Amino acid sequence: MPIVRNLGRAASQLLQSSGCGCGISLVPVRCIGVSPRQVASDASFHSVTFSESDHPRVLITGGLGQLGVGLAKLLRKRFGKNNVILSDIRKPADNVFYSGPFIFADILDYKNLREIVVNNRITWLFHYSALLSAVGEANVPLARAVNITGLHNVLDIAAEHNLRLFIPSTIGAFGPTSPRDPAPDLCIQRPRTIYGVSKVHAELMGEYYHYRYGLDFRCLRYPGIISADSQPGGGTTDYAVKIFHDAIKTGKFKCYLKPDTRLPMMYIDDCLKATLEVMEAPAESLTMRTYNINAMSFSPEELAQEVQKYVPELQVTYNVDQVRQAIADSWPMNFDDSNARRDWGWKHDYDLPELVTTMFSYLGSDSRIAQAN
């Protein structure tokens, strides 16, 4: 019900608006024709001006997920610690909290999110708040609220305040009728999960806001992302993270996908590098607003064989989860990312052998693997 009430209030504000997003504030606010929302008359703004020659002021929503903490670390090295604000609705670990600015931010609370953007003079926004594929199927109403209603809040605020907005899309934005090997940037999508539907919605809404309001919207379709810094989080490709943890802890791995299920994958460092590169790319170099990016493609069986070079005694069994298998079977086996490589020079660094070596170098230093080696 709070979501309904929030949407009702937003609709009421829109109906009462005079058609301009400038409101009656004493500071200039970008006018985008028919504003998605009316600027409240009691809005509180900082009077400090922001110079375009300065570093961007960055906000990351959903920052405690798989990618947010690593992205914050990369951006803080680039732009300065205090110019990058991490946010989430969960309590951060001490090492995250003390590593740089952190703010509680609920993307379903439009007013609070808008205040954060205004009071901190945010110029770049990375929107990572989302429920992933398998988790979303288990709670469709929550996924719809977070992935779609939250997206609308972010789009409206980004357009109103002239932000450069990054929203990640995913392999899950494709469906069983999409080309699978490879999937191009532009093709039939038609996903069959609420996660995939919400990501296609984000791609299309972001592009619409770009052409309708001039929003600087940028989007990458991520393959499965593999990271040593986070535990599996409910995604269909998370088996490729779990196998490393299980190999180290127990020497036994039970995979929920069939051994020959091939999917595109990427090591997290490549993912974060691509995200920063597309955000820094000159607008005139971008021929589209949503790009595929890719690094490698493998199956659980091929990954297990590579892992067994480090843990020869690893026992791998397959107990197929029909829900996740159906999701994986509807996704591409490979991505065509030639447009990203042509337009802004995308190039990956990690293939499968480098990925496995790097994962074990992070996870295995104090483990049975180190003792074996």
Side-chain angles (χ1 to χ4, degrees):
M1 291 307 294
I3 296 171
V4 174
R5 288 196 295 270
N6 288 341
L7 293 175
R9 285 196 295 269
S12 175
Q13 290 176 348
L14 179 59
L15 290 172
Q16 295 170 9
S17 82
S18 60
C20 176
C22 298
I24 59 174
S25 171
L26 296 179
V27 298
V29 178
R30 178 172 172 267
C31 182
I32 53 175
V34 180
S35 173
R37 294 181 189 259
Q38 175 74 21
V39 176
S41 59
D42 61 349
S44 105
F45 291 87
H46 277 201
S47 60
V48 180
T49 58
F50 178 80
S51 170
E52 291 296 328
S53 63
D54 294 336
H55 289 312
R57 294 276 296 172
V58 179
L59 174 66
I60 304 171
T61 65
L64 297 184
Q66 183 186 25
L67 299 174
V69 174
L71 180 64
K73 184 177 180 180
L74 176 65
L75 296 179
R76 284 166 179 166
K77 287 182 179 179
R78 184 83 162 190
F79 303 130
K81 176 179 176 179
N82 293 324
N83 285 321
V84 180
I85 300 173
L86 203 60
S87 73
D88 210 304
I89 59 172
R90 295 182 289 138
K91 180 181 178 181
D94 286 348
N95 66 306
V96 174
F97 184 78
Y98 292 110
S99 65
F102 181 88
I103 289 179
F104 172 89
D106 181 353
I107 60 166
L108 297 179
D109 187 340
Y110 174 84
K111 182 179 178 181
N112 173 252
L113 188 62
R114 183 170 170 271
E115 287 174 350
I116 291 172
V117 167
V118 171
N119 291 339
N120 292 282
R121 299 178 297 127
I122 298 301
T123 58
W124 285 15
L125 197 159
F126 293 82
H127 179 54
Y128 279 106
S129 298
L131 265 66
L132 300 182
S133 55
V135 175
E137 290 306 290
N139 194 337
V140 172
L142 181 60
R144 188 175 63 239
V146 174
N147 295 12
I148 296 179
T149 303
L151 164 77
H152 292 177
N153 288 342
V154 167
L155 285 169
D156 288 348
I157 291 169
E160 179 184 353
H161 296 286
N162 197 25
L163 308 185
R164 182 171 296 184
L165 175 64
F166 178 84
I167 298 178
S169 189
T170 168
I171 182 179
F174 296 95
T177 55
S178 304
R180 298 194 68 210
D181 191 19
D185 287 307
L186 300 176
C187 65
I188 294 173
Q189 293 180 256
R190 294 295 189 275
R192 292 184 178 176
T193 65
I194 186 61
Y195 176 59
V197 168
S198 69
K199 286 302 183 182
V200 174
H201 181 73
E203 294 176 12
L204 295 177
M205 287 295 292
E207 292 180 16
Y208 171 74
Y209 269 58
H210 171 68
Y211 292 113
R212 177 67 177 84
Y213 301 121
L215 174 65
D216 191 353
F217 167 77
R218 305 179 184 210
C219 177
L220 297 178
R221 291 196 190 106
Y222 292 155
I225 304 301
I226 302 173
S227 167
D229 296 327
S230 61
Q231 295 290 329
T236 300
T237 59
D238 278 353
Y239 84 86
V241 177
K242 190 174 186 297
I243 188 173
F244 292 98
H245 292 276
D246 289 358
I248 290 171
K249 292 177 182 178
T250 66
K252 297 179 180 180
F253 172 62
K254 184 182 293 185
C255 185
Y256 50 74
L257 296 181
K258 295 177 181 178
D260 61 348
T261 305
R262 180 173 298 277
L263 293 169
M265 297 284 187
M266 178 176 288
Y267 183 57
I268 188 170
D269 283 9
D270 275 340
C271 175
L272 298 179
K273 182 182 78 165
T275 302
L276 177 57
E277 285 179 355
V278 77
M279 282 294 276
E280 290 189 319
E284 59 271 17
S285 71
L286 304 179
T287 61
M288 54 188 64
R289 289 286 147 175
T290 299
Y291 289 90
N292 292 341
I293 53 169
N294 199 18
M296 64 193 94
S297 181
F298 56 75
S299 67
E301 185 175 43
E302 290 169 340
L303 176 60
Q305 290 172 355
E306 196 69 30
V307 169
Q308 285 169 335
K309 294 178 181 179
Y310 291 81
V311 189
E313 69 275 22
L314 174 65
Q315 299 176 24
V316 180
T317 57
Y318 295 90
N319 183 16
V320 177
D321 177 342
Q322 295 302 325
V323 173
R324 288 182 174 178
Q325 186 64 51
I327 293 172
D329 289 342
S330 73
W331 287 354
M333 301 166 63
N334 211 343
F335 272 168
D336 176 1
D337 61 355
S338 56
N339 287 319
R341 294 176 185 269
R342 180 199 67 217
D343 287 359
W344 43 276
W346 162 239
K347 183 179 180 181
H348 70 279
D349 293 325
Y350 293 84
D351 289 318
L352 180 56
E354 292 85 0
L355 163 71
V356 173
T357 299
T358 303
M359 287 291 288
F360 278 131
S361 72
Y362 279 108
L363 295 176
S365 57
D366 298 320
S367 70
R368 53 201 293 275
I369 296 172
Q371 296 172 2
N373 287 340

